[in-house]
Amino acid sequence: MNLTEPAVRVTGLTKKFGAFAAIDDVSFTVETNKIYGLLGRNGAGKTTLMQLLTGQQFATSGTLEVFGASPVENARVLQSLCFIKETQKYPDSFRPEHVLASAPWFFANWDADFAASLAQDFRLPLNRPIKKLSRGQLSAVGVIVGLASRAPLTFFDEPYLGLDAVARQIFYDRLLEDYAEHPRTIILSTHLIDEVSNLLEHVLVIDEGRILMDQDADELRGSASTVVGKKTDVDAFVAGRDIISRDGIGGLASVTVTGLSEAERAAARTAGLELSPVSLQQLIVQRTTSTTSETASTTDAWSARS
Amino acid sequence: MIEAGKPIFVQIAEQIENDIIDGVIEEETPVPSTNEFAVFHRINPATAGKGVNRLVEDGILYKRRGIGMFVATGARQRLVDARTDQFRANFVGPLLSEAAKLGITAEQVASMINAESVTDRNASNS
Amino acid sequence: MTALLTGTATSVHPRSAPARIWNVVRLHLVDRRTYIGIPWLIAGMAFVVTVFMAQIIGFTTGGLGTADAIAGQRYSWAVLAPQGYLIAVGVQAISFGFPLALGFGVTRRDFYLGTALLFVLISAANALAFAVLTQLEQLTDGWFIDTYMFNAIWLGIDGFWVDLFSFFVMQLLVFFIGASIATIYMRWRMPGMLIFWSALALAIVGTVTIITFTSNWPAVGLWYGAQGIAGIFAWLLVPAAAAGFGGFLALRRATPKN
C-alpha cells in the first residue's frame, strides 16, 4: 500500500435512489493514517457514503477510489477495509464468540488478545445468543470487531447506540491507544460531536448529500467565536465579517463569526463585548441548520434520534 | 482539561510550557511521548504531535534520535522571559491605561499593588 | 506529522482467491449447529418417532416383519424431516450471511462461490450419510426391530449409487431454492418477491391447465415412469443449476439491507 497516496479519493460521486440524490456530486479525499469525523444530521447521507466507499452500494455516477482502485467487488481493496455499522445483522443462532472466532479469517491484522480484553472491558457475554443481547452489548460486538481488526481503513457508523457513557469512554480510550500504536485510517460517523471532537484530526461535514465542510479539526476549532453584547456594539463589530449565526434578545445580540485574530479579540474586549469560544459541535450545528432553516433551536436536531 | 474553542495543539504546547516553568519537567529531562499525551488528554496523537512540534520549532524541546523529546537547556529562562513580555503587554499595559482613564498615577498603582501583596501574604500566612 | 507517531502503520497481505472462498465456507460453519447439529437432531428425533409409530402399528396390525408392513413404512416421509429446516437454512445463508460477509469485507463473488461450495459439500456429506444409513437399515433388517425410516419414498430401491446421487441432487435443490428466494429478496426486495411468487404460481397453474386441457396426463405419467429414479433426479439438476447460476447473477448486484 502506498502511504503517500490518499486512502480515499472521490470525485463527483452521486448516488440516487429513484429521484432522490442521497449523495449529490461529492468530491473529497481522505489521507492515510488520520482519524476522520464524518459528521452530519440523520439522513444527511453518512451511511450511504460509507456503503459506497465499502462497495456495498453502487454509485450512480462519479468516480470512487479506495487505496487506488474501485472498492466494488475488489478483493484486494475490501480486505483492507472494516465497516462497522449500527445495523449490522448476524445469523440467527450466532453468539459473540462466533463473530470473534470468524473475524480473523477476514481481517489479516486481527488481534485475538486485544479482542478478548475488549470483550472484558465491555463486559460482553461471549456465549449469549446475539438475539438476546442488549442494544449496548450488540454495539460492543461491532466496536470490538472494528478495533481488533486493525484494518488499514476502518469505518465506524454510529457504532455505539445503546452504549452507556462509561462504555463509550472505554471505546474512545481504546481507540486512541490502539491507533497510537497501530496508525490507520479511521472514519468515525457520529452525531455525538462533542464526545469525539478531540479525537478527530479532520472533519467532513455532510448535509443533504453534499460536503459542507472538509477541514482540519484543529483549524475549525479555533475558527469561530461568539460575540455577545449590546446589539449596536455587536452589529458595529461584526459588520463585514463572515457571520455564521445570529441570535438576540431585547437589546442584546449574540453573533457567531469566523476568523478573529488576537488583535481583533483584544479590540472586541476593549469595546466591552464578551467573547466566547464555539465548540466544534456548536459550529457544525450552526452551519448545518443555517442552510435549512432560520430557527435557533438547533441542538434538538442533533440530540433527537429518529 | 481541554477547553472548547481553542486549538488543542496550542493548549498542549501551553501545558508543557507551564510544566517547564513550574519545574515539573526539568531541563535535559524527557517529556512524555506524543502518544502518552494523546491517551492522557484523550486527544488525537497528531494534534498532540503538533503541540510538541511547535515547542521543537521554538527550541524549547529537542529530539534525541530513538529516545524522544527532551527539554532544552535554558528553555525555562526563555519561557519565563517570553511570558514576562506577554505579562507586560496583556496586563501591565491595560492596567495603566485603565488607571490613566481614572486619573490614577503610576505611583498610586504601585502602592496599591504593594498593599495588595502584603494582604495576600498575610492571608496566606494566617 | 506522521513522523511523530511511533507506531507502525497497518497494512494487509492479500489472501488468495481459494483461501478467501474457503473462509466463507468456514464462516457458514463457525456455528456447527446450523448445518450439522440441528439437521441431525431432527433426523434423530424423526427416527425415535418412527420407532414408536412402527411399534404401535406393529402392535395393532399383528406383526412388523411382514412385507405389507415394510411396504407401508415406505410412505413415511420421516427421512426428509430435516429438509424443511434446511430450506430455511438456505434462506438464512443469504439473508444473514450476505450482510455479515460484506461487513467482513468479502466480495459478492467470493461470498457466493463459498456459499455454493458449502452447499455442495454439505449435500455430498448428507447424501453419503443417508445412502449408507439406507444400506445399513437393509443389512440389519430395520435396525433389528423391523423399523424402516431410510428405506422410504424413493430411497433404497435402485441401490446405493442411485440413493447417493438422488439425495445429493435433492439436497442441493433444497439449499439453492432457499438461497435463491433470499437472493431475489436481497436484490429486488418486496417487488421482486411479488413478481417471483406470482410468476411461479402462474407457471404451475399454466402447466397444469395445458396438460389437463390437452388431456396429456397419461403421457406425462408415462414419461415420468420411463425416466427412472436416477433419470428424474438428473432432470432436477436443471432447476438446481438454474437456481445456482441465477442466484450468482442476482447477488452480484445486490445490496444488503440496512
Side-chain angles (χ1 to χ4, degrees), chain A residues 3 33 51 55-58 73-75 78-80 83 87-95 98-99 101-109 150 152 180-184, chain C residues 5-15 20 23-24 26-27 30-31 33-34 92 95-96 99-100 102-110 252-256 258:
Chain A
L3 284 179
N33 298 341
Q51 285 178 322
Q56 296 205 358
Q57 284 282 0
F58 301 93
E73 290 298 85
N74 186 330
L78 293 179
Q79 283 178 80
S80 301
F83 182 17
T87 53
Q88 181 64 55
K89 273 206 216 172
Y90 299 96
D92 243 7
S93 64
F94 258 41
R95 300 156 191 260
H98 295 128
V99 178
S102 52
W105 304 332
F106 303 94
F107 301 112
N109 298 334
R150 296 211 177 113
E181 255 177 77
H182 305 275
R184 52 204 194 253
Chain C
L5 300 180
T6 49
T8 38
T10 56
S11 66
V12 163
H13 292 287
R15 291 181 162 120
R20 297 194 312 259
N23 281 338
V24 173
R26 294 167 83 192
L27 176 62
V30 67
D31 182 2
R33 293 168 304 173
T34 311
Q92 296 200 352
S95 62
F96 292 115
L100 179 65
L102 256 59
F104 276 173
V106 178
T107 63
R108 293 167 176 80
R109 173 184 170 276
D110 290 346
R252 285 305 296 274
R253 295 287 299 175
T255 51
N258 287 318

Coordinates of all heavy atoms in Angstrom, one line a residue, chain A residues 3 33 51 55-58 73-75 78-80 83 87-95 98-99 101-109 150 152 180-184, chain C residues 5-15 20 23-24 26-27 30-31 33-34 92 95-96 99-100 102-110 252-256 258:
Chain A
L3 N 1.7 4.7 1.0 CA 1.2 5.6 2.1 C 1.1 7.1 1.7 O 0.5 7.8 2.4 CB 2.1 5.4 3.3 CG 1.9 4.1 4.1 CD1 2.9 4.1 5.2 CD2 0.5 4.0 4.5
N33 N -3.9 7.2 7.5 CA -3.5 7.2 8.9 C -3.9 8.4 9.7 O -3.2 8.9 10.6 CB -1.9 7.0 9.0 CG -1.5 5.7 8.5 OD1 -2.4 4.8 8.4 ND2 -0.3 5.5 8.2
Q51 N -21.4 3.2 2.7 CA -21.7 2.0 1.9 C -21.1 2.1 0.5 O -20.7 1.0 0.0 CB -23.2 1.8 1.8 CG -23.9 1.4 3.1 CD -25.4 1.3 3.0 OE1 -26.0 2.1 2.4 NE2 -25.9 0.3 3.6
G55 N -18.1 -0.5 -1.0 CA -18.5 -1.4 -2.1 C -19.9 -2.0 -1.8 O -20.2 -3.0 -2.5
Q56 N -20.6 -1.6 -0.8 CA -21.9 -2.2 -0.5 C -23.0 -1.6 -1.4 O -24.0 -2.3 -1.6 CB -22.2 -2.1 1.0 CG -21.2 -2.8 1.8 CD -21.7 -3.2 3.2 OE1 -22.8 -2.9 3.5 NE2 -20.9 -3.9 4.0
Q57 N -22.8 -0.4 -1.8 CA -23.7 0.2 -2.7 C -23.0 0.6 -4.0 O -21.8 0.7 -4.0 CB -24.3 1.5 -2.1 CG -25.3 1.4 -1.0 CD -26.7 1.0 -1.5 OE1 -26.9 0.9 -2.7 NE2 -27.6 0.8 -0.6
F58 N -23.8 0.7 -5.0 CA -23.2 1.0 -6.3 C -23.5 2.5 -6.6 O -24.6 3.0 -6.5 CB -23.8 0.1 -7.4 CG -23.6 -1.3 -7.1 CD1 -24.6 -2.1 -6.5 CD2 -22.4 -2.0 -7.5 CE1 -24.4 -3.4 -6.2 CE2 -22.2 -3.3 -7.3 CZ -23.2 -4.0 -6.6
E73 N -16.5 -5.0 -5.6 CA -16.1 -6.4 -5.9 C -14.6 -6.5 -6.1 O -14.1 -7.3 -6.8 CB -16.8 -6.9 -7.2 CG -18.3 -7.1 -7.0 CD -18.6 -8.2 -6.0 OE1 -18.6 -7.9 -4.8 OE2 -18.7 -9.4 -6.4
N74 N -13.8 -5.7 -5.4 CA -12.4 -5.7 -5.5 C -11.8 -6.3 -4.2 O -11.7 -5.7 -3.1 CB -11.9 -4.3 -5.7 CG -10.4 -4.3 -5.9 OD1 -9.6 -5.1 -5.4 ND2 -9.9 -3.3 -6.7
A75 N -11.4 -7.6 -4.3 CA -11.0 -8.3 -3.1 C -9.8 -7.7 -2.4 O -9.7 -7.6 -1.2 CB -10.7 -9.8 -3.4
L78 N -11.1 -4.6 -0.6 CA -12.1 -4.9 0.5 C -11.4 -5.6 1.7 O -11.8 -5.5 2.8 CB -13.2 -5.8 0.0 CG -14.1 -5.1 -1.0 CD1 -15.2 -6.0 -1.5 CD2 -14.7 -3.8 -0.4
Q79 N -10.3 -6.3 1.4 CA -9.6 -7.0 2.5 C -8.9 -6.0 3.5 O -8.5 -6.3 4.6 CB -8.5 -7.9 2.0 CG -9.0 -9.2 1.5 CD -7.9 -10.1 0.9 OE1 -7.2 -10.7 1.6 NE2 -7.8 -10.1 -0.4
S80 N -8.8 -4.7 3.0 CA -8.1 -3.7 3.8 C -9.2 -2.9 4.6 O -8.8 -1.9 5.2 CB -7.3 -2.8 2.9 OG -6.3 -3.5 2.3
F83 N -16.0 -2.3 8.1 CA -17.1 -1.4 8.1 C -18.0 -1.9 9.3 O -18.7 -2.9 9.2 CB -17.9 -1.4 6.8 CG -19.1 -0.5 6.7 CD1 -19.2 0.5 7.6 CD2 -20.0 -0.7 5.7 CE1 -20.3 1.4 7.5 CE2 -21.1 0.2 5.6 CZ -21.2 1.2 6.5
T87 N -26.4 -1.1 12.3 CA -27.5 -2.1 12.0 C -26.9 -3.4 11.5 O -27.7 -4.2 10.9 CB -28.3 -1.5 10.8 OG1 -27.4 -1.1 9.8 CG2 -29.1 -0.3 11.3
Q88 N -25.7 -3.7 11.8 CA -25.1 -5.0 11.3 C -26.0 -6.2 11.7 O -26.4 -6.3 12.9 CB -23.7 -5.2 11.9 CG -23.0 -6.5 11.4 CD -22.8 -6.5 9.9 OE1 -22.2 -5.6 9.4 NE2 -23.3 -7.5 9.3
K89 N -26.2 -7.0 10.8 CA -27.0 -8.3 11.0 C -26.1 -9.5 11.2 O -25.0 -9.5 10.6 CB -27.9 -8.6 9.8 CG -29.2 -7.9 9.8 CD -30.1 -8.7 8.9 CE -31.1 -8.0 8.1 NZ -31.8 -8.9 7.2
Y90 N -26.5 -10.4 12.1 CA -25.8 -11.6 12.3 C -26.7 -12.8 12.1 O -27.9 -12.6 12.4 CB -25.2 -11.6 13.7 CG -24.2 -10.5 14.0 CD1 -24.6 -9.3 14.6 CD2 -22.9 -10.6 13.6 CE1 -23.7 -8.3 14.9 CE2 -22.0 -9.6 13.8 CZ -22.4 -8.4 14.5 OH -21.6 -7.4 14.7
P91 N -26.2 -13.9 11.7 CA -27.0 -15.1 11.6 C -27.8 -15.4 12.9 O -27.2 -15.1 14.0 CB -26.0 -16.2 11.3 CG -24.9 -15.6 10.6 CD -24.8 -14.2 11.2
D92 N -29.0 -15.9 12.8 CA -29.9 -16.0 13.9 C -29.3 -16.7 15.2 O -29.5 -16.3 16.3 CB -31.1 -16.8 13.5 CG -32.3 -16.0 13.6 OD1 -32.2 -14.8 13.9 OD2 -33.4 -16.5 13.4
S93 N -28.5 -17.8 14.9 CA -28.0 -18.6 16.0 C -26.7 -18.1 16.6 O -26.2 -18.6 17.6 CB -27.8 -20.0 15.6 OG -26.8 -20.0 14.6
F94 N -26.1 -17.0 16.0 CA -24.8 -16.6 16.3 C -24.7 -16.1 17.8 O -25.6 -15.5 18.3 CB -24.3 -15.5 15.4 CG -23.4 -15.9 14.3 CD1 -23.6 -17.1 13.7 CD2 -22.3 -15.2 14.0 CE1 -22.7 -17.5 12.7 CE2 -21.4 -15.6 13.0 CZ -21.6 -16.8 12.3
R95 N -23.6 -16.3 18.4 CA -23.2 -15.8 19.6 C -21.9 -14.9 19.4 O -21.2 -15.1 18.4 CB -22.8 -16.9 20.6 CG -24.0 -17.8 20.9 CD -23.5 -19.2 21.4 NE -24.6 -20.2 21.4 CZ -25.2 -20.5 22.4 NH1 -24.9 -20.0 23.6 NH2 -26.2 -21.4 22.3
H98 N -18.9 -16.6 18.1 CA -18.8 -17.0 16.7 C -18.2 -15.8 15.9 O -17.4 -16.1 15.0 CB -20.1 -17.4 16.2 CG -20.7 -18.6 16.8 ND1 -21.9 -18.7 17.4 CD2 -20.1 -19.8 17.0 CE1 -22.1 -19.9 17.9 NE2 -21.1 -20.6 17.7
V99 N -18.6 -14.6 16.2 CA -18.1 -13.5 15.5 C -16.6 -13.3 15.7 O -15.9 -13.2 14.8 CB -18.8 -12.2 16.0 CG1 -18.3 -11.0 15.2 CG2 -20.3 -12.3 15.7
A101 N -14.6 -15.6 16.6 CA -13.8 -16.8 16.0 C -13.6 -16.6 14.5 O -12.6 -17.0 14.0 CB -14.6 -18.1 16.4
S102 N -14.6 -16.0 13.8 CA -14.5 -16.0 12.4 C -13.9 -14.7 11.9 O -13.3 -14.7 10.8 CB -15.9 -16.1 11.8 OG -16.8 -15.2 12.3
A103 N -13.8 -13.7 12.7 CA -13.3 -12.4 12.2 C -11.8 -12.5 11.7 O -11.5 -12.0 10.7 CB -13.4 -11.4 13.3
P104 N -10.9 -13.3 12.4 CA -9.6 -13.4 11.9 C -9.4 -14.0 10.5 O -8.4 -13.8 9.9 CB -8.8 -14.3 13.0 CG -9.9 -14.8 13.8 CD -11.1 -14.0 13.7
W105 N -10.4 -14.7 10.1 CA -10.4 -15.3 8.7 C -10.5 -14.2 7.7 O -10.2 -14.4 6.5 CB -11.4 -16.4 8.5 CG -11.4 -17.5 9.5 CD1 -10.3 -17.9 10.2 CD2 -12.5 -18.2 10.0 NE1 -10.7 -18.9 11.0 CE2 -12.0 -19.1 10.9 CE3 -13.9 -18.3 9.7 CZ2 -12.8 -20.0 11.6 CZ3 -14.7 -19.2 10.4 CH2 -14.2 -20.0 11.3
F106 N -11.0 -13.1 8.1 CA -11.3 -12.0 7.1 C -10.4 -10.7 7.4 O -10.3 -9.9 6.5 CB -12.8 -11.6 7.1 CG -13.6 -12.8 6.9 CD1 -14.2 -13.6 7.9 CD2 -13.8 -13.2 5.6 CE1 -14.9 -14.7 7.6 CE2 -14.6 -14.3 5.3 CZ -15.1 -15.1 6.3
F107 N -9.9 -10.6 8.6 CA -9.1 -9.5 8.9 C -7.7 -10.0 9.2 O -7.4 -10.5 10.3 CB -9.6 -8.7 10.1 CG -11.0 -8.2 9.8 CD1 -12.1 -8.7 10.5 CD2 -11.3 -7.2 8.9 CE1 -13.4 -8.2 10.3 CE2 -12.6 -6.7 8.6 CZ -13.6 -7.3 9.3
A108 N -6.7 -9.7 8.3 CA -5.4 -10.3 8.4 C -4.7 -9.8 9.7 O -3.8 -10.4 10.2 CB -4.6 -9.9 7.2
N109 N -5.0 -8.6 10.1 CA -4.3 -8.0 11.3 C -5.0 -8.3 12.6 O -4.7 -7.7 13.6 CB -4.2 -6.5 11.1 CG -3.4 -6.1 9.9 OD1 -2.6 -6.8 9.4 ND2 -3.7 -4.9 9.3
R150 N -8.0 -4.0 13.2 CA -6.9 -3.2 12.8 C -6.8 -3.1 11.3 O -5.7 -3.1 10.7 CB -5.6 -3.7 13.3 CG -5.5 -3.7 14.8 CD -4.1 -3.5 15.4 NE -4.2 -3.4 16.8 CZ -3.6 -4.3 17.6 NH1 -2.9 -5.3 17.1 NH2 -3.7 -4.2 18.9
P152 N -6.6 -1.4 7.7 CA -6.0 -0.1 7.3 C -7.0 1.0 7.1 O -6.6 2.2 7.3 CB -5.3 -0.5 6.0 CG -5.0 -1.9 6.1 CD -6.1 -2.5 6.9
A180 N -2.7 4.9 18.3 CA -1.3 5.5 18.5 C -0.3 4.4 18.3 O 0.8 4.7 17.7 CB -1.2 6.0 20.0
E181 N -0.6 3.2 18.6 CA 0.4 2.1 18.4 C 0.3 1.5 17.0 O 1.3 1.1 16.5 CB 0.1 0.9 19.4 CG 1.0 0.8 20.5 CD 0.6 -0.3 21.5 OE1 0.8 -1.5 21.1 OE2 0.1 0.0 22.5
H182 N -0.9 1.5 16.4 CA -1.1 1.0 15.1 C -1.8 2.0 14.2 O -3.0 1.9 14.0 CB -1.9 -0.3 15.1 CG -1.2 -1.4 16.0 ND1 -0.3 -2.2 15.6 CD2 -1.5 -1.7 17.3 CE1 0.1 -3.0 16.6 NE2 -0.6 -2.7 17.7
P183 N -1.1 3.0 13.8 CA -1.8 4.1 13.0 C -2.5 3.5 11.8 O -2.0 2.6 11.2 CB -0.7 5.0 12.5 CG 0.5 4.7 13.4 CD 0.3 3.3 13.8
R184 N -3.7 4.0 11.6 CA -4.5 3.5 10.4 C -5.5 4.6 10.1 O -5.7 5.5 10.9 CB -5.2 2.2 10.7 CG -6.0 2.2 12.0 CD -6.1 0.7 12.4 NE -7.0 0.4 13.4 CZ -6.7 0.2 14.7 NH1 -5.5 0.2 15.1 NH2 -7.7 -0.2 15.6
Chain C
L5 N 4.3 9.9 15.1 CA 3.6 8.7 15.5 C 4.6 7.5 15.6 O 5.3 7.2 14.6 CB 2.5 8.3 14.5 CG 1.4 9.4 14.4 CD1 0.4 8.9 13.4 CD2 0.8 9.7 15.7
T6 N 4.7 6.9 16.8 CA 5.8 5.9 16.9 C 5.3 4.6 16.4 O 6.2 3.7 16.1 CB 6.1 5.8 18.4 OG1 4.9 5.7 19.2 CG2 6.9 7.0 18.9
G7 N 4.0 4.3 16.3 CA 3.6 3.0 15.9 C 3.9 2.8 14.4 O 4.2 3.7 13.7
T8 N 3.7 1.5 14.0 CA 3.9 1.2 12.6 C 2.5 1.1 11.9 O 1.6 0.5 12.5 CB 4.7 -0.1 12.4 OG1 4.2 -1.0 13.4 CG2 6.1 0.1 12.5
A9 N 2.4 1.7 10.8 CA 1.2 1.7 10.1 C 0.7 0.3 9.7 O 1.6 -0.6 9.4 CB 1.3 2.5 8.8
T10 N -0.6 0.1 9.7 CA -1.1 -1.2 9.4 C -1.2 -1.4 7.8 O -1.4 -0.5 7.1 CB -2.5 -1.4 9.9 OG1 -3.3 -0.4 9.4 CG2 -2.5 -1.4 11.4
S11 N -0.9 -2.6 7.4 CA -1.1 -3.0 6.0 C -1.6 -4.4 6.0 O -1.5 -5.1 7.0 CB 0.1 -2.8 5.2 OG 1.1 -3.7 5.6
V12 N -2.0 -4.9 4.8 CA -2.6 -6.2 4.8 C -2.0 -6.9 3.6 O -1.9 -6.4 2.5 CB -4.2 -6.1 4.6 CG1 -4.8 -7.4 4.1 CG2 -4.8 -5.7 5.9
H13 N -1.6 -8.2 3.9 CA -1.2 -9.0 2.7 C -2.4 -9.7 2.2 O -3.1 -10.4 2.9 CB -0.2 -10.1 3.2 CG 1.1 -9.5 3.7 ND1 2.0 -9.0 2.7 CD2 1.6 -9.3 4.9 CE1 3.1 -8.5 3.4 NE2 2.9 -8.7 4.7
P14 N -2.7 -9.5 0.9 CA -3.9 -10.0 0.3 C -3.9 -11.6 0.3 O -2.9 -12.2 0.2 CB -3.9 -9.5 -1.2 CG -2.8 -8.5 -1.2 CD -1.9 -8.7 -0.1
R15 N -5.1 -12.1 0.6 CA -5.2 -13.6 0.5 C -5.6 -14.0 -0.9 O -6.2 -13.3 -1.6 CB -6.3 -14.0 1.6 CG -5.9 -13.8 3.0 CD -7.0 -14.2 3.9 NE -6.4 -14.4 5.3 CZ -6.9 -13.7 6.4 NH1 -7.8 -12.9 6.2 NH2 -6.4 -14.0 7.5
R20 N -9.8 -17.2 0.3 CA -11.0 -16.4 0.6 C -12.3 -17.1 0.5 O -13.2 -17.0 1.4 CB -11.0 -15.2 -0.4 CG -9.8 -14.2 -0.3 CD -10.0 -12.9 -1.0 NE -10.6 -13.1 -2.3 CZ -9.9 -13.0 -3.5 NH1 -8.6 -12.8 -3.4 NH2 -10.5 -13.1 -4.6
N23 N -12.7 -19.5 3.4 CA -13.0 -18.8 4.6 C -14.5 -18.5 4.7 O -15.1 -18.4 5.8 CB -12.2 -17.5 4.7 CG -10.8 -17.7 5.2 OD1 -10.5 -18.8 5.8 ND2 -9.9 -16.8 4.9
V24 N -15.2 -18.3 3.5 CA -16.6 -18.1 3.5 C -17.3 -19.4 4.0 O -18.2 -19.4 4.8 CB -17.1 -17.7 2.1 CG1 -18.6 -17.7 2.1 CG2 -16.6 -16.3 1.8
R26 N -16.0 -21.6 6.0 CA -15.7 -21.7 7.4 C -16.7 -20.7 8.2 O -17.1 -21.1 9.3 CB -14.3 -21.3 7.7 CG -13.3 -22.3 7.2 CD -11.9 -21.7 7.2 NE -11.3 -21.8 8.6 CZ -10.2 -21.2 8.9 NH1 -9.6 -20.4 8.1 NH2 -9.6 -21.4 10.1
L27 N -16.9 -19.6 7.6 CA -17.8 -18.6 8.2 C -19.2 -19.2 8.4 O -19.8 -19.1 9.5 CB -17.9 -17.3 7.4 CG -18.9 -16.3 7.9 CD1 -18.5 -15.8 9.3 CD2 -19.0 -15.1 7.0
V30 N -19.0 -21.8 11.2 CA -18.4 -21.4 12.5 C -19.4 -21.9 13.7 O -18.9 -22.3 14.7 CB -18.1 -20.0 12.6 CG1 -19.3 -19.1 12.6 CG2 -17.2 -19.7 13.9
D31 N -20.7 -21.8 13.4 CA -21.7 -22.3 14.3 C -22.1 -23.7 13.8 O -22.9 -23.7 12.9 CB -22.8 -21.4 14.5 CG -23.8 -21.9 15.5 OD1 -23.6 -23.0 16.1 OD2 -24.9 -21.3 15.7
R33 N -23.9 -26.0 14.7 CA -25.3 -26.5 14.9 C -26.1 -26.2 13.7 O -27.0 -27.0 13.4 CB -25.9 -25.7 16.1 CG -25.3 -26.0 17.4 CD -25.7 -25.1 18.5 NE -25.5 -23.7 18.1 CZ -25.9 -22.7 18.8 NH1 -26.6 -22.8 19.8 NH2 -25.6 -21.4 18.4
T34 N -25.8 -25.1 13.0 CA -26.7 -24.8 11.9 C -26.8 -25.8 10.8 O -27.9 -26.2 10.4 CB -26.2 -23.4 11.2 OG1 -26.0 -22.5 12.3 CG2 -27.2 -22.9 10.3
Q92 N -31.4 -18.4 5.1 CA -30.6 -17.6 6.1 C -29.1 -17.4 5.6 O -28.5 -16.5 6.0 CB -30.7 -18.2 7.5 CG -32.1 -18.1 8.0 CD -32.2 -18.3 9.5 OE1 -31.1 -18.6 10.1 NE2 -33.3 -18.1 10.1
S95 N -29.7 -14.3 3.7 CA -30.3 -13.2 4.3 C -29.5 -12.7 5.5 O -29.4 -11.5 5.8 CB -31.7 -13.5 4.7 OG -31.8 -14.5 5.7
F96 N -28.8 -13.6 6.2 CA -27.9 -13.2 7.3 C -26.5 -13.2 6.9 O -25.7 -12.4 7.3 CB -28.2 -14.0 8.5 CG -29.5 -13.8 9.2 CD1 -30.5 -14.8 9.2 CD2 -29.9 -12.6 9.7 CE1 -31.7 -14.6 9.8 CE2 -31.1 -12.4 10.3 CZ -32.0 -13.4 10.3
P99 N -25.1 -10.0 4.5 CA -24.7 -8.8 5.2 C -23.5 -8.9 6.1 O -22.7 -8.1 6.2 CB -26.0 -8.4 6.0 CG -27.1 -9.2 5.4 CD -26.5 -10.4 4.8
L100 N -23.4 -10.1 6.7 CA -22.3 -10.3 7.6 C -21.0 -10.4 6.8 O -20.0 -9.8 7.2 CB -22.5 -11.6 8.4 CG -21.3 -12.0 9.4 CD1 -21.2 -11.0 10.5 CD2 -21.6 -13.4 10.0
L102 N -20.3 -9.2 3.8 CA -20.0 -7.9 3.3 C -19.4 -7.0 4.4 O -18.4 -6.3 4.1 CB -21.2 -7.2 2.6 CG -21.2 -7.3 1.1 CD1 -21.1 -8.7 0.6 CD2 -22.3 -6.5 0.5
G103 N -19.9 -7.1 5.6 CA -19.3 -6.4 6.7 C -17.9 -6.8 7.0 O -17.1 -6.0 7.4
F104 N -17.6 -8.1 6.7 CA -16.3 -8.6 6.9 C -15.4 -8.4 5.7 O -14.3 -8.9 5.6 CB -16.3 -10.1 7.1 CG -16.6 -10.5 8.6 CD1 -16.9 -11.8 8.9 CD2 -16.6 -9.6 9.6 CE1 -17.1 -12.2 10.2 CE2 -16.9 -9.9 10.9 CZ -17.1 -11.2 11.2
G105 N -15.8 -7.6 4.7 CA -15.0 -7.2 3.6 C -14.9 -8.3 2.5 O -13.9 -8.4 1.8
V106 N -15.9 -9.2 2.4 CA -15.9 -10.2 1.4 C -16.6 -9.7 0.1 O -17.5 -9.0 0.2 CB -16.6 -11.5 1.9 CG1 -16.7 -12.6 0.9 CG2 -16.0 -11.9 3.2
T107 N -16.0 -10.1 -1.1 CA -16.7 -9.7 -2.3 C -18.0 -10.5 -2.5 O -18.1 -11.6 -1.9 CB -15.8 -9.8 -3.5 OG1 -15.5 -11.2 -3.7 CG2 -14.5 -9.0 -3.4
R108 N -18.9 -10.0 -3.2 CA -20.1 -10.8 -3.5 C -19.8 -12.1 -4.2 O -20.3 -13.1 -3.9 CB -21.1 -10.0 -4.4 CG -21.6 -8.7 -3.7 CD -22.3 -7.8 -4.6 NE -22.9 -6.7 -4.0 CZ -22.3 -5.6 -3.6 NH1 -21.0 -5.5 -3.7 NH2 -22.9 -4.6 -3.0
R109 N -18.8 -12.0 -5.1 CA -18.4 -13.2 -5.9 C -17.8 -14.3 -4.9 O -18.3 -15.4 -4.9 CB -17.3 -12.8 -6.9 CG -16.7 -13.9 -7.6 CD -15.5 -13.4 -8.5 NE -14.8 -14.5 -9.1 CZ -13.8 -15.1 -8.4 NH1 -13.4 -14.7 -7.2 NH2 -13.1 -16.1 -9.0
D110 N -16.9 -13.9 -4.1 CA -16.3 -14.8 -3.1 C -17.4 -15.4 -2.2 O -17.4 -16.6 -1.9 CB -15.2 -14.2 -2.3 CG -14.0 -13.9 -3.1 OD1 -13.9 -14.4 -4.3 OD2 -13.1 -13.1 -2.7
R252 N -24.7 -10.6 -7.5 CA -23.5 -9.7 -7.9 C -23.9 -8.3 -7.9 O -23.0 -7.4 -7.7 CB -23.0 -10.1 -9.3 CG -22.2 -11.3 -9.5 CD -21.0 -11.4 -8.6 NE -20.0 -10.5 -8.7 CZ -19.0 -10.6 -9.6 NH1 -18.9 -11.6 -10.4 NH2 -18.0 -9.7 -9.7
R253 N -25.2 -7.9 -8.0 CA -25.6 -6.5 -7.9 C -26.5 -6.2 -6.7 O -27.1 -5.2 -6.6 CB -26.4 -6.1 -9.2 CG -25.5 -6.2 -10.5 CD -24.5 -5.0 -10.6 NE -25.2 -3.7 -10.6 CZ -24.5 -2.6 -10.6 NH1 -23.2 -2.6 -10.5 NH2 -25.1 -1.4 -10.6
A254 N -26.5 -7.2 -5.8 CA -27.4 -7.0 -4.6 C -26.7 -6.1 -3.6 O -25.5 -6.0 -3.5 CB -27.7 -8.3 -4.0
T255 N -27.6 -5.4 -2.8 CA -27.1 -4.6 -1.7 C -27.7 -5.0 -0.4 O -28.9 -5.3 -0.4 CB -27.4 -3.1 -1.9 OG1 -28.8 -3.0 -2.2 CG2 -26.6 -2.5 -3.1
P256 N -26.9 -5.1 0.7 CA -27.5 -5.6 1.9 C -28.5 -4.5 2.4 O -28.3 -3.3 2.2 CB -26.3 -5.8 2.8 CG -25.3 -4.9 2.3 CD -25.5 -4.8 0.8
N258 N -30.3 -2.2 5.2 CA -29.8 -1.5 6.5 C -30.6 -2.1 7.7 O -31.6 -1.6 7.9 CB -30.0 0.0 6.4 CG -29.0 0.6 5.4 OD1 -27.8 0.2 5.4 ND2 -29.4 1.5 4.6

